[in-house]
């Protein structure tokens, strides 16, 4: 992909401002942890793996100029920063996974000089980003085995380059299958309310020369009934030990429709998205977002003032609807209690 969703440049975090896409490809520089957290909350940077990377660099941003007298001062401030960044978005576990890694990196280096600890944290953030790149490539390779020449694939939200450090998870599979010479047609749904499908996935796939057609969220069922969708392929924000999947609101409806219409439903995610500490999807914290996203969708008022609104950003797809979960260590199939534990190691 010709885009760098997130980078570390001269002591700042450079991100694509995804709220401006597809009309403008603009970058913003976060100079401090407050502006980075704001970018996360307002979805300028988004997608589970990218949130993990943003969190790690957020820690580096916050700590790079912190003058600590002792390691205990340093860790106190680091813990505060980790909690501050962790309070931005609750659902994607990648954020908490990377923040934990940053904290344990500091602890492992606690006997070193403060400057050396800061350097170790920066290296850890780069490592998290590098690992995401190679995970994308491995998921792409593993997952493309599920894709046949001529497939029409429906995807939801954006699980591509804009959500990761490389070419994505679900979309990475599509890019790999295309590179292998398979002819693929992609259906992308709008993904209300913030239209990650219409704004981001459509744009990304068009940049890559993939045949893509945009549909409204409520068209998927009819297309499946007509036999025009061969596979559904989505990303994930958190997968629990039993294989339940949290992903962008609307994913569950697609999974149910896929089952009714005998369409395989695949999820692609790195192991950092799999949370074995939770036994099932009921335990996943679901982010609730501001009513304005629904009543004033992208700046235009579309519902009466004063209307009551419910706006959860994610839903849970029970494991029984998931045909397979593609990870960098292979394709997991039911029973997920066993297959997920095996790949997580
Ligand atoms: O609210 P968002 O845009 O951060 O939601 C993103 C998704 O739901 C993606 O499908 C998920 O994070 C997987 S990204 C590889």
């Amino acid at each position: 992909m010709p885009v760098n969703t997130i980078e570390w440049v001269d002591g700042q975090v450079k991100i694509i401002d995804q709220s401006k896409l597809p009309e403008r490809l603009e970058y913003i520089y976060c100079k401090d942890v407050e502006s980075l957290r704001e970018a996360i909350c307002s979805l300028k940077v988004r997608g589970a793996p990218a949130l993990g990377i943003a969190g790690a660099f957020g820690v580096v941003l916050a700590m790079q100029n912190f003058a600590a007298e002792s390691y205990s001062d340093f860790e106190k401030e680091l813990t505060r920063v980790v909690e501050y960044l962790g309070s931005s978005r609750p659902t994607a576990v990648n954020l908490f996974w990377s923040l934990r890694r940053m904290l344990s990196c500091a602890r492992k280096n606690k006997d070193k000089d403060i400057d050396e600890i800061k350097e170790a944290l920066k290296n850890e953030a780069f490592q998290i980003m590098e690992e995401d790149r190679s995970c994308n490539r491995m998921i792409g390779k593993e997952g493309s085995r599920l894709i046949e020449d001529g497939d029409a694939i429906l995807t939801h939200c954006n699980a591509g380059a804009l959500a990761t450090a490389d070419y994505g998870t679900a979309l990475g599979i599509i890019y790999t299958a295309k590179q292998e010479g398979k002819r693929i047609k992609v259906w992308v749904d709008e993904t209300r309310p913030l239209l990650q499908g219409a704004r981001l996935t459509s744009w990304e796939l068009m940049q890559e020369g993939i045949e893509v057609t945009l549909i409204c969220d409520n068209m998927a069922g009819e297309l499946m009934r007509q036999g025009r969708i061969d596979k559904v392929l989505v990303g994930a924000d958190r997968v629990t030990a039993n294989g339940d999947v949290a992903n962008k609101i609307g994913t569950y409806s697609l999974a149910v429709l896929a089952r009714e219409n005998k369409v395989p439903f695949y999820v692609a995610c790195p192991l950092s998205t799999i949370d074995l500490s939770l036994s099932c999807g009921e335990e996943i914290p679901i982010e609730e977002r501001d009513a304005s996203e629904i009543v004033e969708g992208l700046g235009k008022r579309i519902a009466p003032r004063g209307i009551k609104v419910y706006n959860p950003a994610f839903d849970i797809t029970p494991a029984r609807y998931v045909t397979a979960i593609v990870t960098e260590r292979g394709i997991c199939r039911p029973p997920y209690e066993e297959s997920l534990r095996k790949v997580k190691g």
Side-chain angles (χ1 to χ4, degrees), residues 43 46-49 89 157-159 163-164 169 196 235-237 247-248 314:
L43 272 56
R46 43 141 306 276
R89 298 193 73 195
C157 195
N158 174 269
T164 61
T169 54
Q196 286 93 331
D237 286 82
N247 192 47
K248 179 54 58 192
F314 300 95

Side-chain angles (χ1 to χ4, degrees), residues 1-4 137 160-162 166-167 175 203-205 207-208:
M1 265 306 285
V3 294
N4 281 328
R137 297 284 149 172
L162 290 167
D166 198 77
Y167 65 5
Y175 298 139
W203 179 81
E204 208 189 295
L205 291 173
Q207 299 279 311
E208 285 298 290

Side-chain angles (χ1 to χ4, degrees), residues 46-49 89 91-92 94 154-160 163 169-170 189 191-192 196 232-240 243-255 265-269 273 281 284-287 312-318 322:
R46 43 141 306 276
R89 298 193 73 195
T91 305
N94 308 61
L154 171 69
T155 192
H156 184 63
C157 195
N158 174 269
T169 54
D189 63 21
T191 318
R192 284 280 294 148
Q196 286 93 331
V232 179
L233 179 53
V234 298
D237 286 82
R238 199 183 297 224
V239 176
T240 53
D244 289 352
V245 174
N247 192 47
K248 179 54 58 192
I249 191 80
T251 304
Y252 168 56
S253 314
L254 293 178
F265 180 88
Y266 297 120
V267 173
C269 67
T273 303
I284 299 176
I286 298 292
E287 177 184 6
F314 300 95
D315 61 23
I316 305 294
T317 298
V322 180

Side-chain angles (χ1 to χ4, degrees), residues 4 9 35 40 42 48 77 127 148 153 156 160 162 164 173-174 192 207 219 228 248 263 272 277 279 287 299 317 344:
N4 281 328
V9 179
S35 56
I40 291 173
S42 58
E77 175 63 2
Q127 176 74 22
E148 286 156 73
I153 301 170
H156 184 63
L162 290 167
T164 61
I173 293 174
I174 291 170
R192 284 280 294 148
Q207 299 279 311
M219 290 178 184
R228 297 168 76 185
K248 179 54 58 192
V263 174
S272 51
S277 75
S279 57
E287 177 184 6
T317 298
K344 269 287 237 188

Side-chain angles (χ1 to χ4, degrees), residues 101-137:
R101 259 180 79 161
M102 297 302 278
L103 199 50
S104 76
C105 169
R107 285 179 181 152
K108 266 189 246 152
N109 289 283
K110 72 181 185 12
D111 294 327
K112 297 191 176 149
D113 288 349
I114 297 295
D115 282 347
E116 287 177 307
I117 301 174
K118 290 180 181 175
E119 198 54 29
L121 286 176
K122 194 158 103 186
N123 291 339
E124 186 73 1
F126 273 104
Q127 176 74 22
I128 286 170
M129 185 157 74
E130 241 355 277
E131 284 174 23
D132 188 53
R133 289 206 174 104
S134 60
C135 283
N136 280 195
R137 297 284 149 172

